[in-house]
Amino acid sequence: MRTTKAHARGIYATALQYLADGQGPAEPRHLMRALDTAIHRRHAGADSRDRKALRHLALDGLGDWRSAETIDDLSARLREGAREGLDLADMPGKRHAAVAAGIWFHGAYSSRRTVADQPTPRGLSFDGRPWLYLWTDDPAARNPVVLRAAFAA
């Protein structure tokens, strides 16, 4: 398996779902448990060598993660790594298909077309990606224009 930055961004985004919130001290076990759970969720078919390569890639991409004092600091660092290269301000005004493709190739999130009066999905998508909601101008159109975008968490 060839690991890329998109793999690391996806692992960060999924690991956020498994990292508990709080002001408690951040310990390496918190990060390792969240990363390992995210890797197993997103890359279930990977062998142990590939999982180890993904873990090293994710840790190298976080920089000096040991300087995070609280779990919330660690979550902020993971969130920043997951959202790197994905700008929500660029999405409004573009067609849904183009925006959804950009989100997919970014590697961290799954796009979800939402309707104003209907509930939005929670948790993770089928392949382990957190949701990024897209509101469009016409819910019945095949390829509507995106009005706004927001992260699920």
Side-chain angles (χ1 to χ4, degrees), residues 1 7-8 10-12 14-15 18 31-59 127-128:
M1 166 184 249
H7 286 112
I11 291 167
Y12 299 154
T14 304
Y18 300 111
L31 178 63
M32 296 304 174
R33 185 181 307 133
L35 288 178
D36 286 342
T37 306
I39 290 168
H40 283 286
R41 168 70 186 200
R42 292 189 64 130
H43 304 282
D47 61 5
S48 62
R49 183 177 36 209
D50 290 338
R51 286 194 302 265
K52 186 175 182 179
L54 288 167
R55 187 179 310 112
H56 285 295
L57 175 73
L59 288 172
D127 57 347

Side-chain angles (χ1 to χ4, degrees), residues 44-104:
D47 61 5
S48 62
R49 183 177 36 209
D50 290 338
R51 286 194 302 265
K52 186 175 182 179
L54 288 167
R55 187 179 310 112
H56 285 295
L57 175 73
L59 288 172
D60 290 344
L62 284 178
D64 187 22
W65 58 270
R66 293 180 192 269
S67 66
E69 294 181 7
T70 65
I71 295 175
D72 285 344
D73 294 339
L74 195 56
S75 294
R77 186 154 303 170
L78 283 172
R79 191 173 294 107
E80 180 182 314
R83 294 177 181 179
E84 178 187 349
L86 190 63
D87 188 13
L88 297 184
D90 290 342
M91 295 178 188
K94 293 183 180 177
R95 292 286 180 184
H96 178 266
V99 172
I103 293 167
W104 181 259

Side-chain angles (χ1 to χ4, degrees), residues 98-116:
V99 172
I103 293 167
W104 181 259
F105 284 111
H106 177 266
Y109 297 91
S110 286
S111 64
R112 177 66 180 205
R113 199 162 136 184
T114 58
V115 179

